[in-house]
Amino acid sequence: MKPKSLRPFIGSKNFEVSRNFYKDIGFEEVVLFHNMSVFKKDEFAFYLQDAYVKDWIENTMLFLEVEN
């Protein structure tokens, strides 16, 4: 097996606020649908959805490690 990528799907309580947050910290947004975008930075990417399921959102964690 030679994986090419692993892209998590992240939900959001406020889609516009979340989109702006990820753009502000340097991710490039590619709008896929009116309620879903993929955010990319170099070879890293994840999907952001305009979807809010309380148990899912409150139990989702992301760990982003940077050099500096």
Side-chain angles (χ1 to χ4, degrees):
M1 180 174 83
K2 188 175 180 182
K4 184 176 177 183
S5 70
L6 176 64
R7 295 182 179 179
F9 283 73
I10 307 300
S12 60
K13 189 171 186 177
N14 186 315
F15 190 55
E16 291 305 314
V17 169
S18 296
R19 290 174 68 208
N20 289 330
F21 170 77
Y22 292 114
K23 288 188 284 188
D24 286 348
I25 64 171
F27 283 90
E28 173 194 351
E29 180 183 21
V30 177
V31 176
L32 302 174
F33 306 101
H34 72 280
N35 61 350
M36 183 185 296
S37 294
V38 62
F39 284 83
K40 298 178 179 183
K41 179 71 174 167
D42 301 324
E43 70 273 9
F44 301 101
F46 64 92
Y47 294 95
L48 181 70
Q49 303 176 87
D50 186 9
Y52 180 74
V53 177
K54 188 177 188 316
D55 288 343
W56 173 43
I57 299 298
E58 290 183 358
N59 289 290
T60 299
M61 292 188 284
L62 293 177
F63 176 78
L64 175 62
E65 186 174 24
V66 297
E67 286 184 21
N68 189 345

